[in-house]
Amino acid sequence: MSDPELANELLRSPEFNSGTSGFFGELLPTRDAQVAIGQAARNTLRARVPEYRDALAGALADLPPASRWPATASELVYRGLADVLLHPGTPAGTRQLMEQALHGGVMFRSPHVWQRARAELLRGKLIAAVTREVGCRRDGGSRDVLDAVLGACPDDLADRTVAEVFLVLFRSIVAPVGSTLAWSVLLAGLHHTSDSPWPWRSEWIVREAMRHRPMVWMVGRSVDRPTEFGGLPFRPGDILSVSPFLVHHDQRHWADSEVFRPERWAESGERGPYVPFGAGPYTCVGASVALTLMTETLTALTKDARLTVTGADARPAMAEGAVPRPFTVVRTPT
């Protein structure tokens, strides 16, 4: 679905937005539990942004002059968040498994069968390790995102289920933030090729990257009773989907919709419909902190440095979302 009016109605109407969200699958019993866990994780991340900023500085100090993206984007985000996700006192083996999951196919589903099999094995090991950690933490604590999840989960939720909820959050934090950061660097680098610094604020670049190349390609809502929508009949079980990409490129609502133009976010007046985090009751609860993490990272990357993009292709690759194809970034001190 690309019609902005219909998309807005679908994402906001109580008829299509009741019950639990599909974000956690069948892991949690109620919508209240889903909301509580999302808010707890978001609040933990928001409170730890200064620590993220400090850890990111260390990661950037280790960044080679030329790096391969989007893998580097995910690595930077993970290194900034590693101690926030699992505090340093967590067994080293568990933290190592989480780092391996970053590039081991757990974050995005591989098109290759053998890679998917290896990723499933790694995923199982990580869930088993986190399950053991959950069992050791039942006495409470507020040291990291896992503690936040455990504190917000229903008391009778099994340790393994808590671990699986944590893994859902781990993927949904690092993968979208890293992917959008990579799109921001790629698109800004392709559209400003002179030796001068980028002429845009980091937040403008990030917002425009989410408009121009939203990672979430489709947002779906299920039909639970016979209904008519947009002049068409639908049956229970049917899925209606909104394409943020098409909504963000609707020429009736977005001027120069096909052009990557970060300065549009500094201009006054109305902009078109914007749904990179969804809309309505199921809007991503972590939207504001995700924007903060992406903006902070891009700001740190470009501070006293010039980024040059090579080997770039702006066409997205599909891997449970629209992610950039591999490219190289050269970071030169100024």
Side-chain angles (χ1 to χ4, degrees):
M1 183 184 304
S2 61
D3 182 276
E5 286 73 27
L6 288 176
N8 183 65
E9 182 181 349
L10 179 68
L11 296 176
R12 297 180 184 278
S13 170
E15 180 179 0
F16 301 107
N17 294 274
S18 60
T20 57
S21 163
F23 180 78
F24 289 106
E26 302 296 324
L27 294 173
L28 297 169
T30 65
R31 178 63 181 154
D32 286 345
Q34 292 181 331
V35 171
I37 290 168
Q39 291 177 341
R42 176 201 61 198
N43 293 344
T44 299
L45 291 170
R46 180 180 291 156
R48 306 282 288 275
V49 166
E51 293 176 44
Y52 176 82
R53 192 180 298 125
D54 291 342
L56 180 63
L60 287 174
D62 296 334
L63 190 67
S67 54
R68 197 67 172 155
W69 289 56
T72 296
S74 297
E75 182 70 31
L76 288 172
V77 173
Y78 172 75
R79 286 191 58 181
L81 290 175
D83 290 351
V84 182
L85 293 165
L86 290 176
H87 72 87
T90 305
T94 303
R95 285 167 58 93
Q96 288 169 3
L97 283 169
M98 191 167 69
E99 185 170 0
Q100 291 171 23
L102 184 67
H103 300 304
V106 175
M107 306 301 287
F108 294 107
R109 183 178 174 84
S110 169
H112 303 294
V113 174
W114 69 271
Q115 289 179 330
R116 291 202 299 270
R118 188 174 65 179
E120 278 303 305
L121 180 62
L122 177 56
R123 180 181 182 276
K125 289 180 179 179
L126 178 58
I127 289 177
V130 176
T131 299
R132 292 191 294 271
E133 181 67 11
V134 170
C136 298
R137 294 192 185 197
R138 285 289 183 179
D139 57 348
S142 56
R143 296 156 294 184
D144 54 27
V145 170
L146 180 57
D147 280 337
V149 170
L150 186 54
C153 276
D155 292 338
D156 59 351
L157 209 63
D159 289 357
R160 181 180 174 87
T161 304
V162 175
E164 292 188 31
V165 169
F166 172 78
L167 183 56
V168 169
L169 288 170
F170 168 50
R171 295 180 68 221
S172 65
I173 293 167
V174 177
V177 172
S179 181
T180 299
L181 173 64
W183 276 123
S184 299
V185 170
L186 173 60
L187 295 169
L190 287 176
H191 288 79
H192 184 75
T193 56
S194 74
D195 290 339
S196 62
W198 289 349
W200 313 294
R201 290 174 51 183
S202 293
E203 185 176 335
W204 302 350
I205 295 173
V206 170
R207 287 185 181 276
E208 180 69 351
M210 288 192 290
R211 182 199 70 83
H212 195 65
R213 288 292 186 270
M215 179 187 165
V216 177
W217 204 250
M218 287 289 180
V219 179
R221 296 291 185 266
S222 62
V223 175
D224 59 8
R225 63 180 179 82
T227 189
E228 182 178 291
F229 189 77
L232 298 173
F234 293 94
R235 299 171 297 179
D238 286 345
I239 302 294
L240 303 181
S241 295
V242 170
S243 169
F245 177 86
L246 294 178
V247 169
H248 292 173
H249 288 75
D250 188 296
Q251 296 181 4
R252 296 169 298 169
H253 297 83
W254 287 97
D256 301 321
S257 64
E258 297 303 316
V259 179
F260 178 78
R261 197 166 64 81
E263 60 269 22
R264 74 172 77 239
W265 296 95
E267 298 167 355
S268 59
E270 284 193 26
R271 284 179 280 271
Y274 188 61
V275 291
F277 297 106
Y282 294 151
T283 301
C284 174
V285 71
S288 61
V289 73
L291 179 61
T292 297
L293 294 176
M294 291 182 285
T295 302
E296 289 277 352
T297 311
L298 187 60
T299 298
L301 265 169
T302 55
K303 181 178 174 59
D304 300 324
R306 180 167 59 88
L307 304 185
T308 305
V309 170
T310 63
D313 185 338
R315 296 175 300 167
M318 301 307 296
E320 297 184 71
V323 300
R325 298 166 188 264
F327 61 100
T328 298
V329 174
V330 177
R331 185 168 181 258
T332 308
T334 57

